[in-house]
Amino acid sequence: MTLEDIPMWISLTGNFGFPIAITVYLFVRFEKKIDKLETVIMQLSEVIKAIKK
């Protein structure tokens, strides 16, 4: 890598680093909500099974 390559790397980081960081943040944040949603769906299915009996 030479000094001429540094602006290219800065440009690539600027263009792709921010969207990647936002994506990772959203995945981590929504993972907790998806886990809670899965738990509630499982509880709901148990209630429905109990009602059908």
Side-chain angles (χ1 to χ4, degrees):
M1 182 159 92
T2 64
L3 288 176
E4 297 165 351
D5 294 334
I6 292 176
M8 177 190 69
W9 284 107
I10 291 173
S11 176
L12 285 173
T13 302
N15 289 335
F16 297 106
F18 180 72
I20 290 171
I22 293 297
T23 301
V24 169
Y25 169 75
L26 290 175
F27 277 148
V28 169
R29 185 167 178 203
F30 286 124
E31 181 182 13
K32 294 175 187 174
K33 292 181 181 185
I34 290 172
D35 288 339
K36 287 180 183 178
L37 182 60
E38 181 182 4
T39 303
V40 170
I41 289 172
M42 294 302 288
Q43 291 172 349
L44 180 60
S45 68
E46 294 298 321
V47 169
I48 291 171
K49 286 179 188 177
I51 291 173
K52 286 185 176 182
K53 289 182 180 180

